[in-house]
Structure formats: C-alpha cells, structure tokens
Amino acid sequence: LRILLILFFCINVLSCTNKNSEEEFKTKSELLSEKSPWVYSHYELIEIIDSYGSELTEVEIENINNEENEGWTVSFNTDGTGYSKSPSNITNEWKWKIDANENLVFIHPNDTTTYANWNVNSSQLYIAFESITYDEQIKVEVLHLGKNVFE
C-alpha cells in the first residue's frame, strides 16, 4: 500500500511538472495567438516626458487613457495577420511579426510600427510606447510614456 501511495504521488508530481513546463516553453508568438483576442484592461503611466505646462496628474492621465481605450481588443492570428477592434466595432487590420531583436512589429499598408518595450505571458499582454493626452483646460498635448495592458 505504501508503494502504491508513493507511486501515485510521483505520477501526480510529474504530471503537474509537465503542464507547467509546457506553458514555460511557449514562444511569445504562440502566446499572442493562442490567447487572442486580448481585451484592454488598463493603462499604466511610466513617466510624463513633457507636460507643456499642463497640471494633469499621473492619475488623471491614466484615467483619461482608460476611458478612451475601454472596450478595445487586439487579436493575433497564427498566419501573421491580426486586427484591433474599437468599442464602436471599427476594425483595423494589420500584419505582425516578432523581429530578430524581439521587437513586436505591426505592418500596416502605409507604415510600420515597432515596439521594443512589450511582453506577453499566459494571462497578460502589455505594449509600452510614447503617446499624448490632450489637456482640455489649457489646450496642450501632454507627452508621456506608458503601457497599454491587455488580458
């Protein structure tokens, strides 16, 4: 009976280890496509680069970006195509790849956008980049760096 219990324990440990290691060995490309569509979760401000005199706080910038991006989804297909969809169901199609430097590259008909600061795991995707938020009170654009986080 003791041998059966030890054998049962060993089988359970090995089966759990195999499941965990399968997840660890998935490539970023596999994770991007398998977990699609990714749904916008929130914006994380990293830094305000230039406020241009605006008194918008970090929290206000995060809140404005969260309101603007709520409901967005992005999908990555295994064939290197993908699309984003706005809350009003406007779809933007593109091609994507991960280049030799591990950058995430979006290829649109008229331009290419490369993201060096990004990551993906089994539950979350983030893409960091510089963007602007318009300060309505003094009519200026605030330049900042932040992450769009998708789950």
Side-chain angles (χ1 to χ4, degrees):
L1 182 61
R2 186 175 184 178
I3 292 173
L4 286 174
L5 286 173
I6 292 171
L7 183 61
F8 178 74
F9 176 76
C10 289
I11 290 171
N12 279 334
V13 168
L14 288 174
S15 68
C16 289
T17 303
N18 286 341
K19 288 177 186 172
N20 290 338
S21 54
E22 281 178 22
E23 185 67 33
E24 289 173 18
F25 293 115
K26 291 197 185 267
T27 66
K28 287 183 174 183
S29 293
E30 290 171 331
L31 289 169
L32 284 172
S33 59
E34 286 179 11
K35 303 300 178 179
S36 286
W38 294 91
V39 178
Y40 179 83
S41 173
H42 63 280
Y43 180 78
E44 293 177 12
L45 182 71
I46 297 171
E47 70 174 312
I48 297 174
I49 298 168
D50 198 333
S51 69
Y52 297 101
S54 171
E55 293 183 9
L56 284 176
T57 67
E58 291 181 0
V59 171
E60 288 172 322
I61 291 171
E62 288 179 337
N63 288 341
I64 290 168
N65 279 273
N66 285 330
E67 287 174 19
E68 290 175 352
N69 294 315
E70 183 178 7
W72 275 92
T73 62
V74 292
S75 292
F76 299 84
N77 300 318
T78 57
D79 66 358
T81 62
Y83 63 92
S84 57
K85 187 180 280 190
S86 74
S88 57
N89 283 327
I90 296 172
T91 301
N92 181 19
E93 295 181 356
W94 27 261
K95 293 182 181 179
W96 68 275
K97 68 178 181 177
I98 299 173
D99 69 15
N101 295 319
E102 291 294 308
N103 297 316
L104 180 59
V105 181
F106 289 89
I107 305 156
H108 303 274
N110 297 322
D111 70 340
T112 299
T113 308
T114 302
Y115 298 100
N117 187 353
W118 74 284
N119 203 4
V120 63
N121 60 38
S122 62
S123 61
Q124 193 175 79
L125 162 66
Y126 78 78
I127 303 171
F129 53 92
E130 290 183 5
S131 60
I132 56 169
T133 298
Y134 191 70
D135 183 338
E136 295 283 343
Q137 287 187 318
I138 64 169
K139 310 291 188 231
V140 297
E141 295 175 336
V142 178
L143 180 63
H144 50 89
L145 174 65
K147 296 179 186 179
N148 278 341
V149 179
F150 298 84
E151 295 178 345

